[in-house]
Amino acid sequence: MKERKLPTMYGLAESDPDQNLIKREGMSPEALGQIDRIMAEMGRMRRLERQIMRNSQSFMKLNETDMRALRMLISAKHAGTVVTPGQLARYLGISSASVTKMIDRLIDGEHVARRPHPTDRRSWCIEVTDPTHLMAREQVGRHHAQRFEVAREFTDAEREVIIRFLARTSDAMEDSMSRAQTALEGPDEKSGKTGD
């Protein structure tokens, strides 16, 4: 496979030239080059995913929260489970008032339907409409299918390495976010600790 020249904005030399964040002693130029290429490819994939999402949102005239709601409703439909407005609000991390406005807007656009709950007469459930389900599958599902096809090309052992890399990267980013949030919150006023 021909090596693709990628932008270097994620390269260590450009992002951390003085090694303030990442110490690189003992690493070969080849190893550093590989890591730069991994970071560049991850950046390229994020850009493509954002572009795919923007294209889908524009085509379907929806925002990011709407799209997340539809993905959840589609998954629930495939699993044969019902989704209430409250469940949708918790999943999206938005208020009951916000989810009500969003549902009303999606109903007006004929993307979802409000139905009586099958077991709770006091409640409603929300379902994605068939035309929107089909549209989402064509706009987003086909891109996801391509990722599956790429993953299929690797051996079991190679996939385990990829899984370990992605999981460790996510863990490290979660840890970094947690430490950054703690630093922003400052000293613990109740205990008098300074966090040092």
Side-chain angles (χ1 to χ4, degrees), residues 19-36:
Q19 301 189 43
N20 293 317
L21 297 172
I22 303 167
K23 303 302 180 196
R24 302 189 282 279
E25 63 271 2
M27 294 190 71
S28 70
E30 292 77 18
L32 291 170
Q34 280 185 318
I35 292 171
D36 277 354

Side-chain angles (χ1 to χ4, degrees), residues 13 20 58 70-71 77 81-82 85 96 104 106 110 119 132 139 142 148 163 177:
N20 293 317
S58 175
L70 289 179
R71 283 197 299 273
K77 186 174 185 176
T81 59
V82 298
S96 296
D104 289 343
L106 292 175
E110 299 182 353
T119 59
T132 291
Q139 287 293 309
R142 290 195 182 280
F148 179 89
I163 292 165
M177 285 172 54

